[in-house]
């Protein structure tokens, strides 16, 4: 009886290993990477529409308009009347009727390069992973991360004149950039801005902090969070700023000695800050 059990166990292990090898072989054949590398005439394009499902996306300055992609999804690219349309399709093939596969370890990557000129319009949506915008000047940007997959937005060394952003579980990181006439709202994550100039803008967070570090002294905006704190730190001594601090169930903390009665200079630049359940700190 014992020998029969051992023989059965050995047979099971052998069959399991053969099955795994067979599965792996099929996956190697049926799940090859889709690679795309296309360039476009820079003089014919001034706007980009990008819909990403699962890729890590980098939008950065380059010598020409180009799209590079490596991943499991099918990528549709079209150009019409100055608009470059990039669509990452969600229908990646699954030959086994399963979305989970131990052997499939692929990180989808997409890079879009934009030449050294101002992009007229950027429409961007993303479900998961990180999207980074670097060294780009944009006239108007509409960015929607409303899926619950937890995508993340990063903006580095860029100038965006009109930026509309909505995110659910997606934190926003902005570094060394300039935003004007922006409207940013994050539902369940924080807004983090560092070493930047924000003018004539609105920053909103439902459940998260608004953390502003080393901000330009000319910054002028409104900010509000329902459940979280607002931290404002300047990169230099402010000279013409008026504070309008409204913590409903928290406290204001003005730790910058240049402010007298929440004002310095002529008050040209106005910070209007609101919290429902949280404090406001000015440093």
């Amino acid at each position: 009886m014992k020998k029969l059990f051992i023989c059965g166990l050995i047979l099971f292990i052998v069959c399991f290993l053969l099955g795994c090898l067979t599965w792996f072989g099929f996956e190697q054949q049926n799940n090859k990477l889709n690679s795309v590398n296309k360039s476009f005439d820079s003089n014919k394009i001034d706007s980009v529409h990008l819909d990403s499902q699962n890729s890590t996306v980098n939008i950065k300055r380059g010598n020409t308009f180009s799209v590079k992609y490596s991943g499991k999804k099918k990528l549709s690219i079209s150009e019409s009347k100055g608009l470059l349309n990039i669509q990452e399709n969600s229908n990646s093939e699954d030959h086994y009727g399963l979305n989970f596969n131990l052997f499939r370890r692929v990180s989808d990557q997409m890079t879009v390069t934009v030449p050294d000129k101002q992009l007229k319009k950027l429409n961007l949506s993303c479900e998961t992973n990180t999207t980074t915008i670097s060294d780009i000047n944009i006239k108007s940007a509409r960015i929607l991360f409303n899926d619950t997959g937890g995508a993340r937005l990063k903006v580095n060394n860029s100038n965006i004149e009109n930026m509309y952003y909505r995110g659910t579980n997606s934190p926003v990181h902005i570094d060394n950039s300039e935003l004007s006439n922006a409207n940013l709202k994050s539902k369940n994550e924080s807004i983090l801005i560092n070493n930047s100039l924000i003018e004539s803008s609105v920053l909103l967070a439902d459940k998260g902090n608004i953390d502003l570090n080393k901000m330009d002294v000319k910054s002028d905006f409104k900010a509000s969070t329902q459940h979280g704190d607002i931290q404002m730190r300047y990169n230099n001594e402010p000279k013409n700023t008026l504070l309008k601090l409204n913590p409903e169930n928290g406290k204001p903390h003005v730790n910058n000695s240049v402010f007298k009665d929440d004002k310095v200079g002529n008050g040209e630049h106005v910070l209007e800050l609101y919290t429902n359940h949280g404090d406001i700190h000015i440093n």
Side-chain angles (χ1 to χ4, degrees), residues 132-172:
T132 303
I133 300 172
S134 300
D135 304 300
I136 302 293
N137 296 325
I138 305 173
K139 180 70 174 179
S140 175
R142 181 178 176 87
I143 303 172
L144 303 178
F145 285 10
N146 289 327
D147 196 89
T148 58
R152 181 183 299 267
L153 175 66
K154 295 182 178 180
V155 178
N156 301 320
N157 303 306
S158 296
N159 188 323
I160 306 178
E161 291 187 23
N162 296 275
M163 178 177 173
Y164 179 88
Y165 169 84
R166 292 295 183 268
T168 300
N169 296 326
S170 305
V172 181

Side-chain angles (χ1 to χ4, degrees), residues 201-204 210 212 221-225 230 272-275:
S201 299
V202 177
L203 313 176
L204 304 170
I210 299 177
L212 308 130
F221 57 86
K222 297 179 181 179
S224 174
T225 177
I230 297 178
E272 190 171 341
L273 310 179
Y274 298 83
T275 59

Side-chain angles (χ1 to χ4, degrees), residues 181-197:
N181 300 306
N183 189 314
L184 314 182
K185 183 176 182 179
S186 179
K187 187 173 182 180
N188 296 323
E189 289 289 348
S190 297
I191 297 174
L192 309 171
I193 303 178
N194 181 65
N195 197 30
S196 297
L197 171 62

Side-chain angles (χ1 to χ4, degrees), residues 46-157:
D46 59 19
S47 301
V48 174
H49 179 97
L50 194 160
D51 184 6
S52 171
Q53 299 290 329
N54 192 48
S55 288
T56 297
V57 177
N58 286 287
I59 303 173
K60 63 180 184 178
R61 182 180 297 179
N63 295 325
T64 184
F65 272 106
S66 69
V67 178
K68 294 182 180 180
Y69 173 79
S70 177
K72 290 294 185 184
K73 306 293 184 181
K74 295 180 180 179
L75 202 66
S76 299
I77 305 175
S78 61
E79 175 192 347
S80 177
K81 298 180 179 179
L83 174 65
L84 182 63
N85 188 37
I86 307 165
Q87 176 78 38
E88 184 182 12
N89 298 320
S90 60
N91 59 331
S92 57
E93 296 183 7
D94 190 339
H95 298 277
Y96 305 101
L98 299 172
N99 290 323
F100 175 72
N101 185 348
L102 290 172
F103 300 105
R104 185 185 299 166
R105 295 183 179 180
V106 176
S107 177
D108 299 345
Q109 302 283 336
M110 185 189 308
T111 299
V112 179
T113 60
V114 178
D116 187 14
K117 68 174 184 178
Q118 186 180 56
L119 192 64
K120 182 178 179 181
K121 184 181 294 185
L122 170 67
N123 285 332
L124 171 66
S125 62
C126 184
E127 292 187 5
T128 60
N129 287 325
T130 299
T131 295
T132 303
I133 300 172
S134 300
D135 304 300
I136 302 293
N137 296 325
I138 305 173
K139 180 70 174 179
S140 175
R142 181 178 176 87
I143 303 172
L144 303 178
F145 285 10
N146 289 327
D147 196 89
T148 58
R152 181 183 299 267
L153 175 66
K154 295 182 178 180
V155 178
N156 301 320
N157 303 306

Side-chain angles (χ1 to χ4, degrees), residues 20-37:
C20 289
L21 291 173
T22 302
W23 182 298
F24 180 75
F26 276 118
E27 286 297 290
Q28 291 292 92
Q29 293 295 322
N30 294 321
N31 290 285
K32 294 180 180 179
L33 287 178
N34 177 30
S35 296
V36 175
N37 189 351

